[in-house]
Amino acid sequence: MRLSVLDQSPIAEGKSKAEALRETISLARAAEEDGYHRFWLAEHHDSPGFAGTTPSLMAMAVLEATKGISVGSGGVLLGLHEPWQVAECFEILAALHPRRVNLGVGRAGSGGTGTFNEKIIELHARLGLIHGTEGRDDLDIWLLGAGTGSAPLAAATGAGYAHAHFLNTASGSTALAHYRENFQPGPVRRKPESILAIRVIAASTDAEAQELANPVRLWRARKDLGLDQPFPVSTDPASWSSEEIRRSENNETRLIVGAADDVANQLDALAGDLGVEELMISTPVPRLEDRINSNRLLARAIARSSTPAGSALLEEEGARNASPRFSHS
C-alpha cells in the first residue's frame, strides 16, 4: 500500500491564484519529506475555487522543487486537448525528469477532434506505449475515472487506473473489479495497478478535524447549489441555510474526517474492500499549514500501524532516498 497526494491548488478567501499555486509547491515539498509516493496536479478551468489550470506546467514546477517523488497530472482533461499536444508536453517533462513523470488522463471536457477512446489510443501511440512496442520507463500513463467508463479502456491499453472516490463513492467497486479482471499487460506494466483518490481531513483530534472540514463542506454545498466561490477560511454551521445543510449532509459519504489514527483505520479498511494498492489523498482545506499537518499526521498514523500500508510507506521513503525509479506492483 502507498499513500500519494492529489492537489487542486485551492484558493482561500482573500488569497490570489498566484498564492494558491505557490502553496501547492510548498505542499509537494512537505509531502515528499513525509514519505508520500506521488504528487498529482489537477486541471480546472474558470473556477474561483481552484487555481490549477495547466497540470503540465505545475508538474514542471513541482519536479524542479522536489528531488525524487513521482509527479504528474490528476489529470489532463483530454477532451480539451489534442493528443500530440499532450504527448509533446510530457515528453519534455520525461526528458528533464526521467522515471518521475506520471501522465494521468481524464475524459472530462470536450473539443478538438476524435472521441476520447480514439484520443487515448493516439496518445499511447505517440508516447510509444502501445502493445507490441518495447515501451519506456521514463514516464507512465494512467486513466482517471469517476464512473465505470474509463476502467475498461485502462484495462485494454495496459494503463494504470485511478478512481475518484471523492466524486463518486458508488462506482468504485465495479470499475476497479472490471479493470483488474480484464487487464491486458502492456509495455509499461505487466500487472494491473490501481489508485483510489479520496478526500481526507485528519487532525490530532476528531473535534479539530471536524472544524477544519466545515469550510470544505460549505464550499462543496454552495458549489452544488450553483455558487462557485473561493474556500471560506472558517465558518459556523449554525449560520448555514437549510439547503446548505442538506447538501452538506448528502456529501458526507465523500469525506473521511477525524483523528489521524481513526482515519488511517478507515482508509486501510476501504483499500482492503476495494482491492487497491494505493490511496491518493485530496485535502482542500483553505490553510496550507492545515493541509500539510493533515498529510503529516496521516502518514505517521499509517506508519505506526502494523498494517501493510505502514510498512510500504516506510519502505517507499527509504527507496526514494536511494533512487527515483518507478515501482509497479
Side-chain angles (χ1 to χ4, degrees):
M1 181 63 64
R2 295 191 177 102
L3 286 181
S4 296
V5 171
L6 169 66
D7 193 58
Q8 299 163 299
S9 301
I11 304 172
E13 282 181 340
K15 290 207 170 184
S16 67
K17 289 184 177 180
E19 288 174 299
L21 295 173
R22 286 192 288 268
E23 286 181 348
T24 286
I25 295 172
S26 296
L27 184 69
R29 290 195 186 103
E32 181 170 52
E33 291 172 1
D34 292 329
Y36 282 81
H37 179 59
R38 306 179 205 273
F39 192 92
W40 280 8
L41 295 312
E43 178 177 344
H44 291 274
H45 299 282
D46 301 318
S47 172
F50 294 127
T53 60
T54 314
S56 58
L57 285 178
M58 284 303 295
M60 178 63 82
V62 171
L63 285 162
E64 293 288 343
T66 54
K67 297 178 181 179
I69 191 171
S70 294
V71 178
S73 55
V76 168
L77 305 182
L78 193 58
L80 301 177
H81 308 283
E82 294 296 340
W84 64 264
Q85 179 186 40
V86 176
E88 288 183 351
C89 285
F90 279 81
E91 288 279 14
I92 291 174
L93 293 176
L96 298 177
H97 297 277
R99 300 185 179 92
R100 292 183 61 195
V101 177
N102 302 158
L103 169 53
V105 181
R107 64 171 63 241
S110 61
T113 59
T115 66
F116 179 74
N117 286 18
E118 290 170 341
K119 286 185 171 185
I120 286 293
I121 298 303
E122 181 182 344
L123 183 59
H124 275 77
R126 287 182 177 275
L127 293 172
L129 295 175
I130 58 175
H131 291 290
T133 63
E134 292 184 3
R136 56 195 300 175
D137 65 358
D138 58 340
L139 65 79
D140 192 12
I141 191 165
W142 294 75
L143 269 62
L144 281 54
T148 57
S150 294
L153 188 56
T157 56
Y161 177 65
H163 190 82
H165 183 268
F166 67 92
L167 294 178
N168 188 342
T169 61
S171 58
S173 179
T174 299
L176 289 161
H178 183 99
Y179 170 70
R180 286 190 296 269
E181 293 165 5
N182 295 277
F183 180 81
Q184 299 295 315
V188 171
R189 56 177 59 76
R190 305 304 299 169
K191 298 186 295 183
E193 190 176 8
S194 55
I195 294 173
L196 193 69
I198 310 170
R199 187 152 285 163
V200 173
I201 300 170
S204 298
T205 67
D206 181 70
E208 182 184 354
Q210 298 300 333
E211 185 175 351
L212 292 175
N214 282 333
V216 180
R217 291 175 171 128
L218 180 60
W219 167 82
R220 181 71 253 183
R222 287 177 171 173
K223 186 175 175 67
D224 291 346
L225 294 168
L227 188 60
D228 195 355
Q229 295 178 325
F231 284 76
V233 175
S234 63
T235 182
D236 181 359
S239 66
W240 298 0
S241 70
S242 59
E243 191 63 18
E244 288 169 345
I245 292 172
R246 187 183 71 82
R247 291 281 182 167
S248 177
E249 290 173 346
N250 290 343
N251 289 330
E252 198 61 23
T253 58
R254 295 156 64 178
L255 271 174
I256 296 180
V257 181
D261 288 325
D262 293 337
V263 169
N265 290 334
Q266 291 183 61
L267 293 180
D268 186 61
L270 183 60
D273 288 344
L274 294 183
V276 295
E277 303 84 18
E278 185 170 341
L279 298 175
M280 182 163 281
I281 307 304
S282 167
T283 307
V285 294
R287 285 186 288 263
L288 172 63
E289 58 268 29
D290 293 330
R291 267 186 284 165
I292 291 175
N293 192 52
S294 178
N295 287 346
R296 183 161 293 157
L297 289 172
L298 178 59
R300 290 174 179 173
I302 287 183
R304 280 195 303 270
S305 74
S306 59
T307 64
S311 299
L313 189 64
L314 293 175
E315 289 172 5
E316 184 59 43
E317 185 174 8
R320 188 166 50 251
N321 288 336
S323 170
R325 292 185 63 84
F326 290 120
S327 176
H328 295 301
S329 56

